[in-house]
Amino acid sequence: MDLRKKIVQFTLEKKQLTGVTARVGIVLDISGSMRNLYARGVVQEVVERILAVASKFDDNGVLDVWVYDNEFSRMEPVTERDFGDYVKRHILNNRSIHKFGFNNEPPVMEDVIRKYTKEEKKDTTPVFIIFINDGGVVRATKKIIKNAAVQPIFWQFVGIGNSDFEVLEGLDNMTGRVVDNADFVHLDRIEEVTDEELYDRLLNEFPHWLKAAKDKRILQP
């Protein structure tokens, strides 16, 4: 974890993001096609890698977590104190979580928005959401993104595997938004991507959104 935090810090310096505070969350696809990635520990590794980002952006070092298929669950946040076997303990062994169904993104996205803009609306810190998906995103997702452009939330979608990412690939060309509030990167085998490349790509569009959101008064200048 310490090495990953150093790599994140280097990336933040390169992207001119040092001194930026953000709340960080991760949304994990747990539809049926993700079963193998959970079983092989790939998802656990992803959580640990994103936790390093949260540790540098958030004073509390807290990573908020959601999982979803055709239902969704808001999980216990993960920190450096309890990240070991987090996925196994809190997700795979948790019988209350619906797992390995079909994917439906809008309900979990609405819950993310609800948490940061209604339940915690007094906190004006920007929000950086990493959204892990292995394809087949429903088209209604685009409407959620468009409507959420006025919110202090940036959505970084990460496509893994080689499925259909047509909806996510069209995010950059989506019109009718106050600011471009979403980005998509495709990492076929995320477990083979180095930490340096992962953090570089995850943090590529976030600084541009921060500036645009401040210019439009979505964030405090």
Side-chain angles (χ1 to χ4, degrees), residues 134-203:
D134 74 337
V137 172
V138 300
R139 293 195 176 276
T141 301
K142 294 174 72 173
K143 183 178 180 181
I144 301 291
I145 289 292
K146 186 175 291 188
N147 291 342
V150 297
Q151 307 291 358
I153 303 171
F154 182 77
W155 303 82
Q156 178 61 65
F157 288 90
V158 180
I160 56 179
N162 56 3
S163 297
D164 173 20
F165 295 105
E166 179 186 355
V167 172
L168 297 180
E169 287 171 344
L171 287 177
D172 279 342
N173 301 321
M174 196 164 62
T175 59
R177 290 177 291 171
V178 179
V179 294
D180 182 351
N181 61 332
D183 184 46
F184 171 66
V185 297
H186 182 204
L187 303 172
D188 188 357
R189 295 181 63 83
I190 194 169
E191 65 272 33
E192 296 179 2
V193 176
T194 65
D195 288 336
E196 288 86 352
E197 180 183 353
L198 178 65
Y199 298 139
D200 185 75
R201 297 189 68 181
L202 287 182
L203 295 165

Side-chain angles (χ1 to χ4, degrees), residues 17 27 81 94 97 120 166 171:
L17 287 168
V27 180
R81 296 184 298 275
N94 188 340
I97 295 175
E120 301 176 6
E166 179 186 355
L171 287 177

Side-chain angles (χ1 to χ4, degrees), residues 9-194:
Q9 181 63 34
F10 173 77
T11 308
L12 295 179
E13 292 170 1
K14 186 168 67 170
K15 306 284 186 183
Q16 297 185 328
L17 287 168
T18 53
V20 171
T21 300
R23 291 173 286 175
V24 183
I26 188 169
V27 180
L28 298 166
D29 186 344
I30 196 167
S31 59
S33 53
M34 290 284 293
R35 188 188 296 268
N36 183 46
L37 294 177
Y38 278 89
R40 291 196 289 116
V42 173
V43 176
Q44 171 67 32
E45 186 79 0
V46 168
V47 170
E48 293 180 16
R49 295 170 89 177
I50 303 305
L51 177 59
V53 177
S55 296
K56 300 301 295 186
F57 267 145
D58 190 324
D59 291 341
N60 296 324
V62 171
L63 176 63
D64 297 322
V65 183
W66 285 262
V67 296
Y68 82 99
D69 53 4
N70 48 297
E71 300 181 17
F72 73 87
S73 296
R74 193 190 298 186
M75 309 301 303
E76 286 287 324
V78 60
T79 70
E80 288 186 59
R81 296 184 298 275
D82 61 0
F83 68 85
D85 288 331
Y86 176 90
V87 168
K88 182 177 180 181
R89 289 183 292 114
H90 291 277
I91 300 175
L92 294 179
N93 291 347
N94 188 340
R95 294 184 178 180
S96 68
I97 295 175
H98 197 272
K99 307 176 186 72
F100 308 126
F102 58 89
N103 60 295
N104 185 29
E105 288 75 24
V108 69
M109 294 175 70
E110 288 168 352
D111 193 60
V112 170
I113 294 167
R114 183 163 47 246
K115 172 181 170 62
Y116 295 118
T117 67
K118 294 183 179 179
E119 296 172 17
E120 301 176 6
K121 62 181 179 181
K122 292 183 179 179
D123 188 342
T124 58
T125 309
V127 180
F128 182 51
I129 296 293
I130 294 95
F131 199 110
I132 307 294
N133 167 269
D134 74 337
V137 172
V138 300
R139 293 195 176 276
T141 301
K142 294 174 72 173
K143 183 178 180 181
I144 301 291
I145 289 292
K146 186 175 291 188
N147 291 342
V150 297
Q151 307 291 358
I153 303 171
F154 182 77
W155 303 82
Q156 178 61 65
F157 288 90
V158 180
I160 56 179
N162 56 3
S163 297
D164 173 20
F165 295 105
E166 179 186 355
V167 172
L168 297 180
E169 287 171 344
L171 287 177
D172 279 342
N173 301 321
M174 196 164 62
T175 59
R177 290 177 291 171
V178 179
V179 294
D180 182 351
N181 61 332
D183 184 46
F184 171 66
V185 297
H186 182 204
L187 303 172
D188 188 357
R189 295 181 63 83
I190 194 169
E191 65 272 33
E192 296 179 2
V193 176
T194 65

